[in-house]
Amino acid sequence: MESLPLKTEVLIKTVKIKNVNSFPKIDYYNVVIVISAVIVHGLLLLNDGVYWDGWLIYDIFLEKDWNDYYLWTSEIGDLPIMSYFYRLLVKIFPGVIFGYKLVAFLSITFSALFVYMICNELRLTNRKENLFIALLSLSYPAYQVSVELCVNQYSVCYCFFLLACLIAVKSKSKERIFHYFLRLCSLALFIISFRVNSLLVFYFGFFLILVFDIQRRWEFSSISDAFSKIIQRRLDYLMLPFLYWIIVKFFFPAHAGYSGYNQPGGGSLLQIIYNFIMFLKNAVYAQLNTALINLINLPVLLVLCLFTTYYIYLTNSLDDKVFFKQKLRPRSFLLFGFFLLVLGIFPYVAVGKVPLISGWRTRHALLIALPMAIIIVSFGRLFFSNKKGSISKIGFTFLVILVLAFSLSSITYYISWQARWIKDRSVMTNLSDLKMKEDISIFWIKDKFPVGGENYYRFYEWATMFKTVWGDESYIGLDQKKYSTASLASYKFSFNKRYNLSEFDPDGRHAALTIHRGVHQYSDLELSIRYLYYKWLSKTGLTKFLSGITDIEIQPIPVSK
């Protein structure tokens, strides 16, 4: 066979090289983030529980009472966009619970991916730094209510907010028509995300990024010059949160039972400062402390982590590679992290809302993970890097251990909420076997088997569980840890269909309902594993398993004469 001419060979090689390079490169850090999301939050997809206010919307969705749902959400105020989103979700997932949990998981996963992509697009930090920012924000355990149906929209809106930031940052490098199209998309997503009102304040962290970006690209010597330029070129972004707030307050105000909802409480400056300190204590200090203690209590895992970290450090020659990008000053990055942290805290303390270390009120810590991730990486950059930007062994171990500790805490919370739901199902299973006296309508709950991060149940949780078991809305449960005899008068406005108490007789007889641990003495982890086994692999034994988790005792209370 004759050999090809030299020019032809060169042409073929060139075409081959171009074809190879035409395939988009896979950023394996994205794969790492997705795998981490499955490890840290994968239990969310297995959780079939209903908690807190979620009982109310779960019942509404099962009965498809959309009028009441729209009325309820309109009373809270704000644009009704998310109401239509969840109606569509129920149509796609008639079982409701899995659809909600899947949306929450995807929102959490994509939020971490968007954080990584935003950092990459800004090019102020290295890809390795960006990976750790994404992983730390993904695993930070201050927000623990992803399992709850009613606050599912928080994760969704936060995800939309980050996507809007990413599109806005990307739009600056596009051609004119495509640029304005992306700009409109980002504005629309911001509007949807503002359903979580705290994002109206958090938004100014994004706006500050725009100012810094313009200062860098136009080489302005001062922030004021960059701000003047952004007013000329990005006025829509500046005005958006103010216009949104005005429109909502005038056309979609909170009313009825929610009048004054999420309004500044008029507390003194000292009260706001106190709330701010308590916020930091519960959402920052306590989370760091708990996460590290949990890891220390597992010494085998800790030692394995140290050896693995050391191996990765050596095999990747991290002591000789750029880990921290030197373009951004460490102190500037750290200050931005603290600024973002203040923006994530202020809208809550301004209305008197402070998260607890665990439980339902951790929903107020929605915006803490990202600023904490930036602060932690900034500390790594400040204390564990050299002039060329490489990271020390101690610094790399510091970042890895925190990711592992936060992940372990998050997984522990998912296990505890699963265990709480198993207990609730056990209680309902055992209640269904009891013969009720028709004149008993008020149960005083004495729970001697507390499980999960919340140490009591709200009255409408019990009302809906009783309805699930007995089929009517005639019963209320009052947890003795929370309620007193005066509560019946205080909550009289709630004796209606919305709270599953439309048939309730407040003058009915009282009974004490005591919950004991049953014959099965399992830890939360063992309880969850066995429950999932019976639920998926041995369904015939599930009822018997559940009946042995709790022991129920009902004792009528004599009527005083």
Side-chain angles (χ1 to χ4, degrees), residues 4 33-34 102 108 130 191-192 195 201 211 325 396 407 459 470 489 520 554:
L4 293 171
I33 292 170
V34 172
L102 177 62
I108 292 167
N130 301 341
I191 290 171
I192 295 172
R195 177 67 185 82
V201 179
V211 173
K325 198 167 186 177
F396 187 66
S407 300
F459 69 90
W470 294 319
H520 299 318
I554 295 180

Side-chain angles (χ1 to χ4, degrees), residues 47-104:
N47 184 289
D48 58 340
V50 183
Y51 313 89
W52 308 305
D53 292 14
W55 273 112
L56 302 180
I57 64 168
Y58 177 65
D59 189 69
I60 288 174
F61 289 161
L62 287 183
E63 296 185 359
K64 294 182 170 54
D65 189 357
W66 297 111
N67 290 332
D68 187 46
Y69 182 59
Y70 293 142
L71 177 62
W72 188 10
T73 53
S74 71
E75 289 175 4
I76 298 173
D78 229 316
L79 301 181
I81 299 170
M82 297 305 293
S83 303
Y84 297 102
F85 172 80
Y86 285 113
R87 182 169 185 176
L88 176 64
L89 181 64
V90 171
K91 285 186 177 181
I92 298 173
F93 297 98
V96 179
I97 294 176
F98 177 73
Y100 264 73
K101 304 296 171 79
L102 177 62
V103 167

Side-chain angles (χ1 to χ4, degrees), residues 35-44 47 138-144 147 291 294 298 301 403-419 524-525 528:
I35 292 173
S36 299
V38 172
I39 293 171
V40 178
H41 299 282
L43 290 176
L44 177 58
N47 184 289
L138 174 71
S139 58
Y140 193 75
Y143 181 79
Q144 301 161 19
V147 298
N294 288 341
L298 296 171
L301 181 62
V403 171
L404 180 62
F406 293 157
S407 300
L408 185 62
S409 274
S410 295
I411 293 169
T412 301
Y413 291 130
Y414 281 120
I415 292 172
S416 70
W417 288 126
Q418 182 66 71
D524 289 356
L525 178 59
S528 300

Side-chain angles (χ1 to χ4, degrees), residues 132 136 323-324 376-377 380 391 395-403:
F132 272 100
L136 288 164
F323 189 93
F324 297 110
I376 290 168
V377 172
I391 189 171
F396 187 66
T397 304
F398 163 76
L399 294 177
V400 172
I401 282 182
L402 284 181
V403 171

Side-chain angles (χ1 to χ4, degrees), residues 147-390:
V147 298
E148 211 280 336
L149 304 183
C150 201
V151 298
N152 178 277
Q153 60 181 311
Y154 292 7
S155 298
V156 174
C157 289
Y158 182 60
C159 183
F160 283 158
F161 177 84
L162 292 172
L163 177 57
C165 293
L166 176 62
I167 293 174
V169 171
K170 278 184 169 292
S171 69
K172 68 181 189 298
S173 60
K174 304 302 178 182
E175 296 296 329
R176 183 175 294 271
I177 295 177
F178 194 41
H179 164 80
Y180 286 114
F181 171 75
L182 290 178
R183 196 155 156 178
L184 284 173
C185 288
S186 70
L187 292 170
L189 286 168
F190 277 129
I191 290 171
I192 295 172
S193 74
F194 289 157
R195 177 67 185 82
V196 175
N197 294 162
S198 55
L199 288 171
L200 285 165
V201 179
F202 202 66
Y203 174 87
F204 289 97
F206 157 75
F207 191 78
L208 182 62
I209 290 174
L210 289 185
V211 173
F212 281 140
D213 186 60
I214 282 185
Q215 182 188 21
R216 181 186 61 178
R217 289 193 296 117
W218 291 75
E219 297 182 351
F220 288 121
S221 58
S222 67
I223 292 291
S224 58
D225 293 336
F227 191 77
S228 299
K229 190 68 178 180
I230 206 170
I231 290 177
Q232 298 174 26
R233 301 177 65 88
R234 300 286 189 274
L235 185 61
D236 48 351
Y237 285 119
L238 176 61
M239 296 301 298
L240 182 65
F242 300 103
L243 290 174
Y244 180 92
W245 187 83
I246 291 170
I247 290 171
V248 165
K249 293 306 170 187
F250 276 95
F251 297 101
F252 304 94
H255 58 280
Y258 291 90
S259 181
Y261 182 67
N262 278 346
Q263 297 298 315
S268 65
L269 178 60
L270 286 177
Q271 182 63 49
I272 292 175
I273 293 173
Y274 174 78
N275 288 342
F276 196 93
I277 293 171
M278 292 305 297
F279 201 114
L280 290 174
K281 176 180 177 290
N282 293 335
V284 178
Y285 169 75
Q287 301 304 328
L288 287 166
N289 187 56
T290 303
L292 291 174
I293 288 175
N294 288 341
L295 184 58
I296 291 171
N297 288 335
L298 296 171
V300 175
L301 181 62
L302 178 58
V303 171
L304 182 62
C305 169
L306 292 174
F307 275 110
T308 304
T309 302
Y310 187 69
Y311 174 78
I312 294 173
Y313 185 86
L314 291 181
T315 54
N316 287 274
S317 303
L318 292 180
D319 58 336
D320 196 42
K321 289 183 178 178
V322 175
F323 189 93
F324 297 110
K325 198 167 186 177
Q326 298 302 293
K327 194 170 187 178
L328 183 63
R329 294 179 180 177
R331 288 180 179 81
S332 300
F333 197 35
L334 183 61
L335 286 174
F336 175 71
F338 280 120
F339 176 71
L340 210 57
L341 182 64
V342 171
L343 293 181
I345 294 175
F346 179 76
Y348 293 98
V349 298
V351 296
K353 293 181 176 180
V354 177
L356 294 179
I357 299 171
S358 62
W360 170 239
R361 280 173 59 182
T362 61
R363 69 190 188 278
H364 305 319
L366 172 70
L367 305 179
I368 300 303
L370 179 56
M372 283 303 299
I374 292 173
I375 289 169
I376 290 168
V377 172
S378 298
F379 271 112
R381 171 195 282 260
L382 193 60
F383 296 108
F384 303 114
S385 66
N386 57 26
K387 291 182 179 180
K388 64 180 180 181
S390 61

